[in-house]
Every structure is written in structure tokens, then in C-alpha cells.
Amino acid sequence: MSTTSLIIGASGQIGTELTKKLRATYGENSVIASDIRDDNTALVNSGPFKRMDAMDYNAIKDCVTQYNVDTVYLMAAMLSATGEKYPEKAWHLNMTSLFNVLNLAKEGFIKKIFWPSSIAVFGPTTPREQTPQYTIMEPTTVYGITKQVGERWCEYYFNNYGVDVRSIRYPGIISWKTLPGGGTTDYAIDIYHKALETGTYDCFLKDNTALPMMFMDDAINATVNLMDAKPEQVKIRSSYNLAAISFTPSQLAKSIQQHLPNFTISYTPDFRQQIAESWPKSINDAQARLDWGWKHSFDMQSITKEMLSQLQKKYQD
Ligand code: AKB
């Protein structure tokens, strides 16, 4: 059966690569990209694009009916660090956009939703090592609160209205194509850019702050595999724990020094340190592996190799 997908927030870090992957798999006209910004020319020129605000229910509904969309990927959100600067804006954007798509599904306009959650749903009272799927969740950031509440609403819409909504708790995602914006895990991308540009990096987290991370290709595969899974395989309708690797800034710096021996790192922790310390160090994702066959491919060494070689090419152009 052919599907038409709408990606909301397609110009962002994950949205850009998800759009590219879905267009390559299903055909460019089957994937409508949308964002409040229309300055991502590669995306705008590679298939249908609609400039749209994720908080505008009528605009999304018009787009869904115009293009016969049956699947929506809601990738627009304000992340953890920016969310602390604009708490009310983060709450409104993250919750209104979610209700918009959940209600479109409830009202029968769309059939399937992907909505990303995050390791930010966990908090300082959560066990930090091998954090289980089901555990104490007392998030302390606005972003984490919106993701935790969002998970509850996803499960509620599935149980009460039969909405086919699927979700993953993404860890920090490392990529070279599009920069992330406003996250606590962003250092793990900035570090590669600075290593190549200046040979030194001042990290906003302490050297020994371990966080769960994943390469973009793995994150995209997980997303596509979860969306392709048969409904009966998707046993969790709040959000799945998902893991690949965990490392600290100093471990990452050492992996970069294997390629760039003169690279140096310093540490000036800021408000993001407290956010990072409230999140898990590692995640137990046994349920995702069991239910729909999740498995990651990239470890820290292969991520560093790929990041440096891709960014080197980018900087040469
Ligand atoms: C952030 O740092 O806010 C995000 C996330 C872990 O969801 N990358």
C-alpha cells in the first residue's frame, strides 16, 4: 500500500535526514517536508515543501487533505537547553504541536504518527545506569516534562481512540549534515567542528559526564523500522527506550586525538551540566530489541571516523 508522509520540522537536525531517507525509499512526491523556516534549500528543492507552523492546526489539516497524507512525523520541538530559557514557549510548542497531530488522527484525517520522545523524560531520582524501560520519571527540565506528559497522552490516545502513534526516547544524536539546536548533548557535535576548525574545544560539560548517544544513521534506521513494524509488534505506545553507546567528553576527546593528535580540550561547565547530571548515563533498551528487532551499528570509534572524514570534506568545499 502506498503511503504519503508529512514531516513537520523537516529542516531540523533529525528531520532533514529523515526526509532524505524517506524520499529515497518511497519517492520524493510521497514525502511532504514542512517547517516554519524555508531556508534549507536542499530540502525545499528535493520534493514538495510547505512552510508551516507546527502550532497551526488548520494549516496542518489543509496540508494533510491537500496531499492525502496518511502518516505524520512530528519532529518540531524546543530542546532541553533552549527550553530552560523560554519555558512557556517550550511548553506551548511541544504540547500544542503534539495535540494537533493526535487530534488529526483521532478525527480520522491521518492513520499513523511518529513522535520523538527523549532520555530527558528521566530525572535525578531515576536509576542512572542501564535505566529500565519502566522506572521512576521525575524530569526537571521543561523539555523533559513536555516529553513525559506527551508520552502519557500518546498512550492515552492509543488506548482510548485507537490512534496508531509510535515513539522512541532518543539519546543524544550525532550527525554531520545539519547542526542541532539548543540541546544538552550538542557538545558531541560541536567538538568535531571545533577540532577541525581550531584544533581545540571548550566543553560546556565536565570531563566525566557520561550520556547515552547514537549516530544519526542508527537513529534514522530505528525510526523507519519502528514505523514499518506490524502494529502487534509495537507493544509500547508511550515511548521505547533506545540505546547505542555512552561516553564522556574526555573519552570522546581521546577518540578524536587518535586522528588529530594535537587536538586539545578544556572544560567550562555551564547550566547544561545540571541538566546532563539529571539524565541517565546508560539506557536499557531490551524491549525495543525484542519487540521490533532494534540493533545499532555505530560505536564511538566508527562515529569519530565518519564525523571527521565527512566534516573534513564539507570544510574543503
Ligand atoms: C537534548 O539534548 O535536549 C536532546 C535530547 C537528548 O533529547 N538532544
Side-chain angles (χ1 to χ4, degrees):
M1 203 185 67
S2 75
T3 62
T4 301
S5 302
L6 168 66
I7 324 273
I8 300 175
S11 299
Q13 186 203 7
I14 304 176
T16 310
E17 302 208 25
L18 184 61
T19 305
K20 207 165 168 238
K21 170 81 177 185
L22 294 177
R23 281 184 172 161
T25 311
Y26 301 108
E28 62 204 28
N29 290 323
S30 302
V31 181
I32 323 303
S34 80
D35 204 283
I36 198 157
R37 298 167 18 209
D38 58 5
D39 54 358
N40 187 334
T41 41
L43 188 90
V44 173
N45 296 333
S46 67
F49 179 87
K50 197 96 188 158
R51 187 161 179 206
M52 201 163 73
D53 182 348
M55 292 202 287
D56 186 342
Y57 176 84
N58 288 324
I60 305 174
K61 187 173 152 191
D62 288 348
C63 179
V64 160
T65 36
Q66 181 189 346
Y67 289 100
N68 265 319
V69 168
D70 46 49
T71 302
V72 173
Y73 296 78
L74 174 55
M75 311 310 287
M78 195 182 287
L79 300 188
S80 57
T82 312
E84 292 311 286
K85 292 186 183 148
Y86 309 103
E88 279 191 44
K89 259 194 189 167
W91 172 260
H92 286 303
L93 169 62
N94 295 1
M95 297 316 299
T96 307
S97 57
L98 176 59
F99 277 118
N100 283 347
V101 294
L102 286 174
N103 285 329
L104 278 173
K106 180 186 165 194
E107 287 155 20
F109 291 101
I110 52 175
K111 293 200 177 73
K112 221 185 205 182
I113 297 168
F114 177 80
W115 175 77
S117 186
S118 160
I119 54 164
V121 292
F122 301 114
T125 50
T126 303
R128 291 186 73 199
E129 303 276 0
Q130 283 298 305
T131 301
Q133 175 70 41
Y134 300 106
T135 185
I136 302 167
M137 295 161 87
E138 295 184 315
T140 48
T141 61
V142 179
Y143 172 63
I145 294 170
T146 63
K147 290 298 178 187
Q148 195 206 10
V149 174
E151 287 190 9
R152 297 288 88 228
W153 278 111
C154 287
E155 193 182 83
Y156 186 90
Y157 270 65
F158 174 75
N159 286 337
N160 292 283
Y161 311 123
V163 169
D164 186 354
V165 52
R166 304 172 182 211
S167 177
I168 282 169
R169 291 174 181 151
Y170 287 131
I173 307 295
I174 303 174
S175 64
W176 55 269
K177 282 189 193 136
T178 309
L179 283 171
T184 303
T185 57
D186 294 5
Y187 91 85
I189 297 172
D190 297 345
I191 193 171
Y192 291 106
H193 287 268
K194 292 284 179 331
L196 290 169
E197 279 174 316
T198 64
T200 182
Y201 180 61
D202 188 33
C203 185
F204 57 75
L205 297 182
K206 287 187 195 157
D207 60 341
N208 59 354
T209 315
L211 284 170
M213 300 279 181
M214 179 177 290
F215 195 50
M216 179 63 85
D217 298 32
D218 278 334
I220 298 293
N221 281 341
T223 308
V224 169
N225 291 347
L226 175 61
M227 290 302 273
D228 283 348
K230 295 195 187 83
E232 58 275 19
Q233 283 176 278
V234 186
K235 303 215 169 81
I236 293 176
R237 295 298 184 150
S238 50
S239 191
Y240 276 95
N241 272 9
L242 195 78
I245 46 166
S246 286
F247 54 73
T248 65
S250 84
Q251 288 167 333
L252 188 57
K254 284 196 185 94
S255 88
I256 293 174
Q257 280 156 351
Q258 283 168 12
H259 301 262
L260 304 171
N262 295 329
F263 172 65
T264 58
I265 184 162
S266 55
Y267 302 93
T268 312
D270 66 14
F271 72 101
R272 288 168 282 193
Q273 180 63 32
Q274 205 184 342
I275 299 178
E277 278 173 21
S278 77
W279 289 352
K281 295 180 181 182
S282 60
I283 296 283
N284 183 323
D285 63 353
Q287 192 79 42
R289 291 180 190 258
L290 184 75
D291 288 358
W292 42 275
W294 156 244
K295 92 173 184 292
H296 70 278
S297 305
F298 285 82
D299 61 13
M300 189 174 63
Q301 269 67 37
S302 47
I303 292 176
T304 292
K305 199 163 165 237
E306 186 69 6
M307 286 296 287
L308 291 176
S309 78
Q310 294 294 351
L311 288 177
Q312 235 145 17
K313 281 187 226 152
K314 223 175 163 178
Y315 282 119
Q316 272 154 19
D317 288 345

